[in-house]
Amino acid sequence: NAGVMQNPRHLVRRRGQEARLRCSPMKGHSHVYWYRQLPEEGLKFMVYLQKENIIDESGMPKERFSAEFPKEGPSILRIQQVVRGDSAAYFCASSPGTGLGGAPQTQYFGPGTRLLVL
Amino acid sequence: KQEVTQIPAALSVPEGENLVLNCSFTDSAIYNLQWFRQDPGKGLTSLLLIQSSQREQTSGRLNASLDKSSGRSTLYIAASQPGDSATYLCASLNQAGTALIFGKGTTLSVSS
């Protein structure tokens, strides 16, 4: 069973360009989470999605950032008009959803996408 | 707003030493607490998960404890090895079960 896959692993963009980060969850997982790790900072939650639904986007910047998890295909984190401050490692995690009694399940992390904005 | 703090930020020890990493959190209303390992340029590997109703979990040379009343968790590593060198992250799962709140980590270096 392949783990969480993210691509590209490294992405270089110039200021003003768009960045698209993809995440394929583990087989059988229907929940996806995105986190961002800025240099010298801890990981920060961005957004939690289920298929075709955004459940919690409390950590998403209000502008330029969007996320989707379509019925078919990977989850996409999209950053429009990137700025140097967007340079960070972006991690995706997936889980199978809720367990007995609605208990949240363990999140499994991908290797991350390192975004560098020139 | 939940805040997770880890001390020390960095730790260097000789091989074979037993060590303790500390994690504190401000809001005791957590669903669970998890310890991860992160190697440079890599993703996160889950080490131990403690449910809010539990006091500790053990896996091999690792033991993690949880004291919700004091807002603390510790990760104990026995007989450290150079291969243990990595950054160790503590994270609490919020009550809604939607987001992990991470500390900044403790970077461990074990010398042979």
Side-chain angles (χ1 to χ4, degrees):
Chain A
N1 187 7
V4 177
M5 298 177 67
Q6 291 187 248
N7 66 81
R9 294 290 305 276
H10 299 273
L11 182 61
V12 180
R13 284 288 178 267
R14 296 191 180 280
R15 282 180 296 169
Q17 291 183 320
E18 178 179 286
R20 281 184 175 243
L21 287 61
R22 289 177 290 277
C23 170
S24 296
M26 288 179 69
K27 186 177 181 180
H29 287 193
S30 57
H31 294 215
V32 166
Y33 313 78
W34 286 93
Y35 294 82
R36 176 166 67 172
Q37 187 174 36
L38 292 165
E40 308 302 323
E41 295 288 327
L43 277 86
K44 303 289 186 187
F45 168 78
M46 299 181 75
V47 63
Y48 162 43
L49 311 102
Q50 296 176 19
K51 286 284 188 180
E52 299 185 281
N53 284 304
I54 296 175
I55 307 301
D56 181 353
E57 57 181 347
S58 58
M60 284 280 271
K62 293 292 184 281
E63 297 178 347
R64 301 187 298 107
F65 285 72
S66 63
E68 62 177 5
F69 189 17
K71 186 176 180 181
E72 300 291 337
S75 175
I76 306 288
L77 179 67
R78 181 184 179 200
I79 310 173
Q80 295 178 290
Q81 300 176 322
V82 296
V83 301
R84 289 208 174 113
D86 296 332
S87 296
Y90 292 82
F91 290 94
C92 168
S94 73
S95 74
T98 55
L100 292 175
Q105 301 292 288
T106 300
Q107 296 179 25
Y108 296 85
F109 281 77
T113 293
R114 270 106 187 132
L115 172 65
L116 175 62
V117 180
L118 301 177
Chain B
K1 180 184 174 183
Q2 177 75 284
E3 291 184 7
V4 178
T5 304
Q6 292 186 247
I7 54 172
L11 182 63
S12 293
V13 300
E15 183 177 7
E17 195 161 299
N18 302 325
L19 56 100
V20 175
L21 307 182
N22 297 291
C23 171
S24 62
F25 45 95
T26 54
D27 186 349
S28 63
I30 62 172
Y31 209 103
N32 61 42
L33 190 130
Q34 201 162 355
W35 283 91
F36 293 87
R37 169 183 172 141
Q38 184 176 26
D39 292 282
K42 300 289 180 62
L44 280 68
T45 301
S46 179
L47 297 174
L48 289 165
L49 184 151
I50 312 176
Q51 300 292 351
S52 62
S53 58
Q54 297 175 323
R55 294 297 296 244
E56 66 178 342
Q57 284 287 332
T58 297
S59 175
R61 295 183 292 108
L62 305 179
N63 175 277
S65 67
L66 175 63
D67 184 344
K68 282 180 57 179
S69 61
S70 65
R72 293 181 183 178
S73 175
T74 61
L75 178 67
Y76 175 81
I77 302 177
S80 57
Q81 303 171 357
D84 295 331
S85 298
T87 296
Y88 291 81
L89 301 170
C90 161
S92 67
L93 186 65
N94 63 1
Q95 271 273 305
T98 57
L100 285 166
I101 312 299
F102 284 86
K104 290 185 178 182
T106 294
T107 298
L108 172 66
S109 176
V110 181
S111 56
S112 56

